[in-house]
Amino acid sequence: MRIVVPFSADRPKTRLGKVLTPDERREFAAAMLADVLAALGGVDRDLDVTVLATGPVEVEASVVVDDRPLTTAVNDRLDTAPTAVVMADLALATPDALEALLDSDADLAIAAGLGGGTNAFLARDPAFHVDYHGASYRDHLAIAREEGISVREVDSRRLAVDIDEPADLTEVLLHGDGAARDWLVDAGFELDVGGGRVEAVRE
Ligand SMILES: Nc1nc2c(ncn2[C@@H]2O[C@H](COP(=O)(O)OP(=O)(O)OP(=O)(O)O)[C@@H](O)[C@H]2O)c(=O)[nH]1
Ligand SMILES: C[C@H](OP(=O)(O)O)C(=O)O
């Protein structure tokens, strides 16, 4: 099965700009990508994984460099079904969570992200196409409806948590166990469990 992992290599994770420098954002994004590739590597299936990156990147997978906007670049790779697209910022993804998506035989299996994005999908029908940004999850359900594509909505916390905002770092410290969590700990992040909602803070 073909898996595409979109990756913004040059200026990733701008919404983390309040807590990470540009170099740190690049390192942290690369750590999350490594975690996603490791989770895909643990899936009990034969997967053909390609990182669809905006610039060169060194990873344990094949890389295609395409600097066009995300939607255009992904749509160009949906011509051959089945194809799954798994975002590179799913630092909590596990093989089990990914298998729940990849085992679906619906024309479209799709996992929402926090705030209405689309974190992962498997399209078995080449008529499906993406339109990312905004509440893309709703837009993707509408596209499937228009194309008469059967949908399975995959309800998965581990696939839903994409790491976009400073508050999301808390989830990585709480529930992550890979390179992204290690990177945050090395960078001095820790949990403040002092009162109210637990928070990631930097020493
Ligand atoms: N190939 C490709 N991947 C992208 C592009 N923009 C974002 N991505 C990837 O798509 C996924 C979701 O990205 P977002 O969280 O929306 O964007 P981001 O650039 O990582 O972060 P922000 O700058 O904070 O919006 C991540 O895996 C990104 O690395 C793009 O233009 N091209
Ligand atoms: C690409 C975008 O990601 P988000 O900005 O929701 O993380 C989306 O899923 O439409």
Side-chain angles (χ1 to χ4, degrees), residues 11 13-14 16 27 30 49 59 73 75 81 83 86 90 96 102 106 108 113 120 137-138 140 153 162 173 177 183 195:
R11 286 183 63 249
K13 296 290 132 209
T14 54
L16 293 175
E27 288 177 20
V49 178
V59 286
N75 278 332
T83 300
V86 178
L90 310 186
D96 281 356
L102 301 177
L108 177 71
Y137 188 72
R138 287 195 313 198
H140 291 149
E153 295 188 62
D162 50 343
L173 288 177
D177 65 358
W183 190 92

Side-chain angles (χ1 to χ4, degrees), residues 13 15 70 87 89 114-119 131-137 140 162 164:
K13 296 290 132 209
R15 284 170 281 176
L70 177 64
M87 292 315 200
D89 56 357
L114 298 174
T118 303
N119 283 357
D131 183 4
Y132 282 114
H133 301 300
S136 69
Y137 188 72
H140 291 149
D162 50 343
D164 290 338

